[in-house]
Amino acid sequence: MSLTDGAQGLAGVRQAVRRIAVCVLVAIPMLLILALAIGYTINSFDESLRPDTQALLHSPASAYAPEQNIYLALVGFDAPPNKSMLEVGQGRVAAYDQHLDEMLRNPSTAAAEQTKTDPQRLKFKGRIDFCHSQSSSCWDGIPSHGAEIGVLLADNRDLYQRYLELAQLQGYQETARPSYLAPIRFLPAELRALFLVNVSLRLQTGSLAQRRDALADLQNDLRLWRRVLTGDGRFEYKMVAVASLQGDYLLLADMIADPRTDLAAVSPDVQSLVPVFELGDWSIPRAFTAQYRAFSSDWVQTRYMYSGEWKPAPSSGDTPPRFWRSLGRAVESHYFQFNSTENLAAEQMDQLMAVARAAPSQFYALRDLAQNWERDNLTPYSVGGSYDPASYVYEAHGIFGRWLHRHLNMISAPVIFNPVGKVLVANSLAANLPDFSLRAYDGAALQRLVKLGYEIRRRQLGPSSIPAFLQQHPEWATHPVSGRPFLWNAGSSEIAVQTVARQRAGSRFTVHV
């Protein structure tokens, strides 16, 4: 081959490379344009709401008259002295219902409504630092605080009376329009402590009639919080109910363990001394449906944001410039499909409700199935965090941007249907909800433990007989979810639950025998 032929061949190769480069440079934008066109087309149509989604979104009619609804009483619990807590609760819920649409559009309105307080509202007066119902005893040493308890009762007479009246109401159902902004009012922790120490004082120092009345108050309180636990509402009050039941049962356990207490005299009907609820009462699937309806307000707010109806609070130093941010959200809004997001969130909630409805012994197996579903359907859209509904819309644009940057390039991202909705559902708090079921089942285990302690005392079992007794009665001596046996410590004469939920440090799940 001559030098001329070699030069011509090399030139041909170079020309071919240039042609390929030109084709690639032309093809990349064309592929991007094609991907955008495909993505724009498939995201131009939303799904219809599926029947199961519509069923989840539907709020059931209240089963209780307003004057019998514990929820309304709790919302209005701090009403001024001359007003009814039930009437004030109804008024607050009605005002919230009226302003909800504007609150979802305007965070400033929401903040103003949520921080609004009545200067005449009742407040707890004083402090109680000698009773921590979930970590220490509200029995030991209480008689020495009799004078303090008397002062606290006098100073908080109206609040204390209202608390006793809660136990007379028929049931619990949240009647406010569903959203994460719905009214939730928590009782003063000091009031709960005052109730427990007053019951404890009367049980230890009162006449026989006073001791029986105190025990009746405690058992009424157990029934009150059982109604809240089994009622229709979100997780906030479910966990309050679990914590309150825990405090009540621990007080019962300490009373039973005190050899000075004449149990037969205080409670002639020994079988009712430790009320044992059905295990299904500790299952909380209705909280999942209520929480789904509340989560739905996140998607409503997100739709308002993308449609331009949302009115964020003024801020300074926004980057990028407002024009480009608005343009970016306008483009992004095309990839958010409201009904499809609702359907996906409903499908996720169906998985979680299956876990909550199952028998406790099946909890872990069904949770694994739910986690497998999440891994297949949501994990690809996760950015590694969960976001609180109160700040969800502020975070929505940033969450989607982080996912886009981490997981997909600009060609593949647009061809996904409803990518924004999938990212938002994947990073919501819903995946953490089964933890609440575990906390409730730890409460069920504690109830078993107190019943176990009572049976040991009633049968007058000595320390050497206790290990065998625990093995003979797994219905009282094992955790309903894990099946793990309760632990007997002969040195401290205590029996302990092996809990399954993440509990606050120092939480007590032991009884003294």
Side-chain angles (χ1 to χ4, degrees):
M1 183 177 65
S2 66
L3 292 174
T4 303
D5 292 338
Q8 288 176 346
L10 182 60
V13 171
R14 289 175 177 173
Q15 187 177 15
V17 170
R18 282 197 296 270
R19 288 175 179 173
I20 294 172
V22 170
C23 290
V24 170
L25 290 174
V26 172
I28 289 176
M30 289 182 66
L31 287 173
L32 180 58
I33 292 171
L34 179 63
L36 289 171
I38 294 172
Y40 190 90
T41 301
I42 65 176
N43 280 281
S44 296
F45 305 95
D46 197 359
E47 299 174 348
S48 298
L49 288 178
R50 293 197 297 262
D52 59 325
T53 303
Q54 295 177 6
L56 280 175
L57 288 169
H58 176 71
S59 297
S62 178
Y64 311 106
E67 62 272 14
Q68 289 295 328
N69 193 339
I70 298 168
Y71 169 68
L72 295 174
L74 289 171
V75 171
F77 190 80
D78 63 350
N82 59 339
K83 294 185 179 180
S84 161
M85 60 179 174
L86 282 161
E87 291 178 1
V88 169
Q90 284 182 268
R92 288 173 176 170
V93 169
Y96 154 82
D97 286 345
Q98 181 181 355
H99 293 102
L100 176 59
D101 293 328
E102 178 60 23
M103 287 194 289
L104 290 176
R105 288 183 173 90
N106 191 335
S108 299
T109 301
E113 288 293 327
Q114 289 193 305
T115 57
K116 188 184 297 182
T117 58
D118 187 339
Q120 302 300 316
R121 71 187 187 282
L122 278 179
K123 300 178 185 178
F124 189 89
K125 299 176 182 176
R127 294 182 58 188
I128 299 179
D129 55 9
F130 50 88
C131 168
H132 303 282
S133 60
Q134 295 182 61
S135 57
S136 60
S137 176
C138 291
W139 180 267
D140 297 337
I142 292 300
S144 65
H145 297 281
E148 296 171 68
I149 295 171
V151 171
L152 289 166
L153 287 169
D155 289 345
N156 297 281
R157 180 183 57 198
D158 290 343
L159 280 177
Y160 194 87
Q161 183 58 38
R162 285 180 181 178
Y163 184 79
L164 295 180
E165 290 172 3
L166 290 177
Q168 308 307 314
L169 302 181
Q170 188 177 1
Y172 179 92
Q173 185 165 355
E174 293 179 17
T175 55
R177 292 175 60 189
S179 86
Y180 71 87
L181 297 166
I184 290 286
R185 300 290 179 101
F186 297 108
L187 297 174
E190 298 88 352
L191 182 61
R192 270 285 303 163
L194 179 58
F195 171 79
L196 291 174
V197 296
N198 183 42
V199 168
S200 178
L201 180 66
R202 292 153 60 201
L203 283 169
Q204 294 186 67
T205 64
S207 65
L208 180 58
Q210 290 171 330
R211 283 182 283 157
R212 288 180 175 176
D213 286 345
L215 183 60
D217 283 348
L218 186 59
Q219 292 174 330
N220 284 337
D221 200 63
L222 286 165
R223 286 187 282 270
L224 161 67
W225 293 111
R226 176 186 174 276
R227 294 184 193 112
V228 177
L229 180 66
T230 58
D232 196 319
R234 291 178 291 164
F235 287 99
E236 288 90 339
Y237 272 136
K238 301 295 184 186
M239 295 302 101
V240 169
V242 170
S244 300
L245 289 168
Q246 180 180 343
D248 288 352
Y249 275 110
L250 287 173
L251 181 58
L252 269 178
D254 289 338
M255 179 192 75
I256 291 167
D258 191 337
R260 296 169 299 177
T261 305
D262 186 345
L263 298 181
V266 174
S267 180
D269 181 10
V270 294
Q271 294 303 321
S272 67
L273 181 61
V274 182
V276 177
F277 310 152
E278 294 291 333
L279 192 54
D281 291 345
W282 298 92
S283 172
I284 50 177
R286 295 170 73 180
F288 286 81
T289 59
Q291 204 71 38
Y292 172 79
R293 294 192 292 268
F295 280 158
S296 180
S297 65
D298 294 337
W299 323 133
V300 173
Q301 267 197 321
T302 305
R303 181 171 61 179
Y304 287 153
M305 179 190 71
Y306 283 132
S307 68
E309 297 179 69
W310 195 58
K311 306 168 187 175
S315 60
S316 59
D318 286 335
T319 57
R322 186 175 296 278
F323 170 77
W324 294 108
R325 187 173 68 253
S326 299
L327 179 62
R329 290 187 181 179
V331 174
E332 194 176 299
S333 68
H334 188 73
Y335 299 92
F336 172 72
Q337 306 300 332
F338 179 76
N339 288 348
S340 300
T341 304
E342 289 276 25
N343 287 337
L344 179 61
E347 192 173 354
Q348 179 191 35
M349 199 58 69
D350 284 339
Q351 298 290 324
L352 299 178
M353 284 191 295
V355 181
R357 290 194 191 101
S361 60
Q362 298 299 310
F363 181 91
Y364 288 125
L366 288 174
R367 189 182 65 174
D368 288 344
L369 292 177
Q371 289 175 340
N372 289 341
W373 180 90
E374 289 195 1
R375 185 189 62 238
D376 295 340
N377 294 275
L378 295 180
T379 300
Y381 304 97
S382 173
V383 297
S386 299
Y387 294 86
D388 189 279
S391 60
Y392 208 89
V393 177
Y394 290 102
E395 302 282 357
H397 184 69
I399 295 170
F400 182 67
R402 287 171 59 194
W403 171 79
L404 195 65
H405 176 72
R406 285 187 182 187
H407 296 281
L408 291 175
N409 58 51
M410 289 301 294
I411 294 179
S412 58
V415 301
I416 296 174
F417 177 68
N418 188 30
V420 175
K422 289 175 179 176
V423 169
L424 297 184
V425 172
N427 293 280
S428 74
L429 289 170
N432 300 323
L433 297 184
D435 291 344
F436 292 112
S437 289
L438 290 178
R439 289 179 63 186
Y441 284 132
D442 276 348
L446 179 66
Q447 177 183 252
R448 287 184 170 190
L449 178 65
V450 177
K451 177 67 173 177
L452 175 69
Y454 168 70
E455 292 295 333
I456 288 173
R457 173 168 175 182
R458 186 172 71 88
R459 299 164 193 245
Q460 299 182 353
L461 299 179
S464 61
S465 303
I466 290 177
F469 185 74
L470 268 58
Q471 291 182 342
Q472 293 164 4
H473 293 281
E475 73 278 12
W476 298 329
T478 59
H479 197 291
V481 171
S482 65
R484 289 189 293 182
F486 298 164
L487 302 178
W488 163 241
N489 186 328
S492 61
S493 297
E494 287 184 326
I495 307 175
V497 172
Q498 298 189 72
T499 57
V500 294
R502 290 174 291 183
Q503 298 289 345
R504 184 179 301 175
S507 293
R508 178 185 165 201
F509 285 86
T510 61
V511 298
H512 188 78
V513 179

